C-alpha cells in the first residue's frame, strides 16, 4: 500500500516518513517551507500499530499550515484529536500571521504529544516547542532530522543565511571539459541528462549564466519538455559587465530577464534575494562557477558527466587559486544516478561536526 494511503502505522518513525512524503507534495517555489503532519490516535492497551486520525501538508502561502490541515482532516472524518500525537516535519510555529499559530491549534485540539524533525530557526515563528511544553505537552525533536533538513534546504538557507540557495550545475566530459578546443559544446551530455536538468530548472526560481556563456551559446534559460508543465518559468539571469544583445534568447520574455552588471557573487545574490528569488541554479560558465565557489556560496553541485574525453578545451571551473591538494575545495557525494549514457553525481558540502546533539533517539522511544 502506498505510504500516503496508510490507515495505521507501526511506529512514530513510520509516521514521520509519511509526514515527510506529505511535505514533499507542497510547492517547491513557495516562500513558506514544505511541511507535513500526521495525527496519531492515543495509544491503546496494545500499543502499536496506531490509527492515523488525520494528515495534512502546507499548500502554499496563505493556506492552512500542515498541522491545521491535519486537524481539519481529522475533524472531517469525525475523529477527536484529544490525547493524540502530532508528528510534524518542522517545529510547530508560535506566530500568528496570515494563518493562526500551529502551537495554539494543537493545544486547543487537546494534542498530548508532538514529535518534530527540524527546529524552526526563524525568530519570527519559533518558540512553538517551548509553548507546548509549558502547557504540559510532551515534545520530542530530531527524528529524521537530516531528511527534514534536506527537504527544507532552500528555505533553511534563506532563513539562516539570508540569501538564495545555490545549485551549481556542471555538465562536462570525464576530463572536466565543457567545450572542445574549437569551442564546440553541443552537445556534451545526452538527451536524458538534459531532460533531467530541465526538471531541476523547474524547481528553481532563477537560472544564472555569465555574459561569456550567454554570448557563446545564446541559451534561452527556460524550462522545456518534459518539464514544461511548471506553473511559471524561472527568472533568466545573466551576470557580468558586458552588454546582452537585444535579440538574445534570454530576452524572449522581457519580464523574466535580469542582467546583473557585476562580477561579485555576493552582490548578485543580494539583488536576486531582493527580487524574491529563493533558489538559483548557476549554469556557467567557468568564470562564474569559480566566482561562486571562491565565495563559498555554492550549497550543492549537480555534476553531469559524459563518457567522453577531449584532453583540451575549456574547463568546467576556472582557477580557484588553490596551489596544493590539501587546500582543495572538497565535497561529499550524496548520490550517483545513471542518466542514459551519462552519470549524475549530486554533491553537497562536506558535513560539519554537529553543534548540538540530536534527540532522535528520544523520539524513537515515544510512548506506545
Amino acid at each position: 500500500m502506498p505510504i500516503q494511503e496508510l490507515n495505521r502505522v507501526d511506529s512514530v518513525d513510520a509516521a514521520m516518513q509519511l509526514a515527510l512524503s506529505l511535505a514533499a507534495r507542497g510547492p517547491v517555489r513557495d516562500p513558506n517551507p514544505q511541511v507535513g503532519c500526521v495525527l496519531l490516535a492515543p495509544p491503546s492497551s496494545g500499543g502499536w500499530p496506531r490509527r492515523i486520525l488525520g494528515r495534512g501538508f502546507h499548500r502554499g502561502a496563505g493556506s492552512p499550515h500542515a498541522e491545521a490541515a491535519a486537524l481539519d482532516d481529522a475533524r472531517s472524518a469525525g475523529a477527536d484529536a484529544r490525547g493524540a500525537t502530532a508528528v510534524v516535519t518542522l517545529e510547530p510555529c508560535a506566530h500568528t500571521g496570515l494563518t493562526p499559530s500551529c502551537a495554539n491549534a494543537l493545544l486547543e485540539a487537546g494534542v498530548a504529544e508532538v514529535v518534530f524533525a527540524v527546529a524552526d530557526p526563524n525568530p519570527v515563528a519559533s518558540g512553538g516547542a517551548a509553548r507546548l511544553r509549558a502547557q504540559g505537552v510532551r515534545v520530542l525533536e530530531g527524528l529524521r532530522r537530516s531528511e527534514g533538513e534536506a527537504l527544507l534546504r532552500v528555505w533553511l538557507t534563506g532563513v539562516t543565511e539570508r540569501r538564495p540557495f545555490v545549485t551549481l550545475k556542471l555538465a562536462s566530459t570525464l576530463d572536466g571539459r565543457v567545450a572542445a578546443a574549437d569551442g564546440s559544446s553541443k552537445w556534451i551530455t545526452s538527451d536524458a541528462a538534459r531532460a533531467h536538468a530541465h526538471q531541476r530548472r523547474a524547481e528553481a526560481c532563477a537560472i544564472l549564466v555569465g555574459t561569456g556563456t550567454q554570448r557563446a551559446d545564446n541559451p534561452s534559460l527556460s524550462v522545456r519538455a518534459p518539464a514544461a508543465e511548471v506553473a511559471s518559468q524561472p527568472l533568466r539571469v545573466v551576470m557580468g559587465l558586458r552588454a546582452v544583445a537585444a535579440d538574445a534568447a534570454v530576452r524572449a520574455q522581457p519580464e523574466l530577464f535580469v542582467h546583473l552588471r557585476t562580477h561579485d557573487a555576493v552582490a548578485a545574490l543580494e539583488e536576486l534575494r531582493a527580487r524574491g528569488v529563493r533558489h538559483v541554479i548557476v549554469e556557467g560558465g567557468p568564470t562564474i562557477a569559480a566566482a561562486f565557489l571562491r565565495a563559498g556560496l555554492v550549497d550543492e553541485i549537480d555534476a553531469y558527466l559524459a563518457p567522453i574525453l577531449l584532453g583540451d578545451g575549456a574547463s568546467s571551473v576556472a582557477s580557484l587559486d588553490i596551489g596544493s591538494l590539501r587546500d582543495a575545495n572538497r565535497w561529499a557525494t550524496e548520490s550517483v544516478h545513471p542518466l542514459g549514457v551519462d552519470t549524475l553525481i549530486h554533491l553537497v558540502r562536506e558535513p560539519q561536526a554537529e553543534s548540538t546533539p540530536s534527540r532522535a533517539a528520544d523520539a524513537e522511544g515515544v510512548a506506545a
Side-chain angles (χ1 to χ4, degrees), residues 69-86:
L71 289 168
D72 287 344
D73 187 43
R75 293 187 192 103
S76 67
D80 187 348
R82 284 178 295 182
T85 295

Side-chain angles (χ1 to χ4, degrees), residues 286-348:
T287 302
I288 292 295
F292 279 87
L293 287 167
R294 281 197 304 267
L297 294 173
V298 176
D299 298 292
E300 64 180 9
I301 298 175
D302 280 342
Y304 298 86
L305 294 181
I308 56 178
L309 297 166
L310 288 174
D312 202 355
S315 297
S316 58
V317 178
S319 173
L320 295 177
D321 300 322
I322 294 173
S324 172
L325 185 61
R326 67 174 178 270
D327 299 321
N329 195 306
R330 298 185 183 277
W331 293 78
T333 300
E334 188 172 75
S335 60
V336 178
H337 302 285
L339 293 171
V341 298
D342 301 324
T343 302
L344 168 64
I345 304 177
H346 182 73
L347 304 111
V348 295

Side-chain angles (χ1 to χ4, degrees), residues 12-356:
V12 69
D13 185 68
M16 184 61 79
Q17 290 182 64
L18 173 55
L20 287 165
S21 73
L22 290 168
R25 295 168 63 182
V28 295
R29 291 188 188 173
D30 196 75
N32 287 355
Q34 294 172 287
V35 183
C37 177
V38 174
L39 287 176
L40 301 178
S44 64
S45 58
W48 299 97
R50 287 167 66 177
R51 185 165 58 93
I52 295 175
L53 301 178
R55 66 196 80 196
F57 65 94
H58 186 49
R59 297 176 182 270
S63 66
H65 287 190
E67 297 92 327
L71 289 168
D72 287 344
D73 187 43
R75 293 187 192 103
S76 67
D80 187 348
R82 284 178 295 182
T85 295
V87 180
V88 198
T89 57
L90 181 66
E91 177 186 358
C93 69
H95 171 67
T96 299
L98 294 176
T99 58
S101 158
C102 294
N104 286 351
L106 294 172
L107 288 170
E108 291 169 4
V111 167
E113 195 169 55
V114 174
V115 180
F116 64 87
V118 180
D120 193 336
N122 187 350
V124 174
S126 62
R131 181 175 299 180
L132 290 163
R133 288 191 180 106
Q135 296 299 315
V137 175
R138 187 180 187 214
V139 179
L140 299 165
E141 63 185 90
L143 180 61
R144 292 191 173 264
R145 183 177 66 184
S146 61
E147 292 172 55
E149 288 176 343
L151 180 68
L152 292 169
R153 66 195 191 284
V154 170
W155 179 79
L156 287 170
T157 297
V159 172
T160 60
E161 300 191 32
R162 299 183 64 79
R163 64 164 176 83
F165 183 88
V166 177
T167 300
L168 175 61
K169 175 203 167 188
L170 303 175
S172 70
T173 64
L174 288 178
D175 51 347
R177 305 297 177 180
V178 293
D182 65 357
S184 59
S185 61
K186 293 185 177 180
W187 293 103
I188 286 176
T189 54
S190 65
D191 289 346
R194 294 197 299 276
H196 183 274
H198 278 280
Q199 292 174 7
R200 293 286 279 144
R201 280 185 178 184
E203 300 170 4
C205 302
I207 313 299
L208 183 150
V209 298
T211 52
T213 294
Q214 187 278 317
R215 288 187 172 205
D217 297 341
N218 193 28
S220 67
L221 304 185
S222 61
V223 178
R224 298 188 293 277
E229 299 81 11
V230 292
S232 60
Q233 289 283 335
L235 206 62
R236 300 156 192 188
V237 184
V238 177
M239 176 177 164
L241 302 181
R242 289 181 289 185
V244 178
D247 61 349
V250 288
R251 292 185 180 273
Q253 292 179 271
E255 71 279 8
L256 292 178
F257 170 66
V258 175
H259 185 186
L260 302 179
R261 295 179 181 273
T262 181
H263 290 151
D264 186 335
V266 173
L269 291 186
E270 286 177 352
E271 183 166 344
L272 291 178
R273 182 175 182 271
R275 292 174 177 270
V277 171
R278 291 169 292 280
H279 181 193
V280 57
I281 297 179
V282 176
E283 293 200 356
T287 302
I288 292 295
F292 279 87
L293 287 167
R294 281 197 304 267
L297 294 173
V298 176
D299 298 292
E300 64 180 9
I301 298 175
D302 280 342
Y304 298 86
L305 294 181
I308 56 178
L309 297 166
L310 288 174
D312 202 355
S315 297
S316 58
V317 178
S319 173
L320 295 177
D321 300 322
I322 294 173
S324 172
L325 185 61
R326 67 174 178 270
D327 299 321
N329 195 306
R330 298 185 183 277
W331 293 78
T333 300
E334 188 172 75
S335 60
V336 178
H337 302 285
L339 293 171
V341 298
D342 301 324
T343 302
L344 168 64
I345 304 177
H346 182 73
L347 304 111
V348 295
R349 291 177 177 176
E350 282 202 331
Q352 303 297 311
E354 295 286 351
S355 57
T356 56

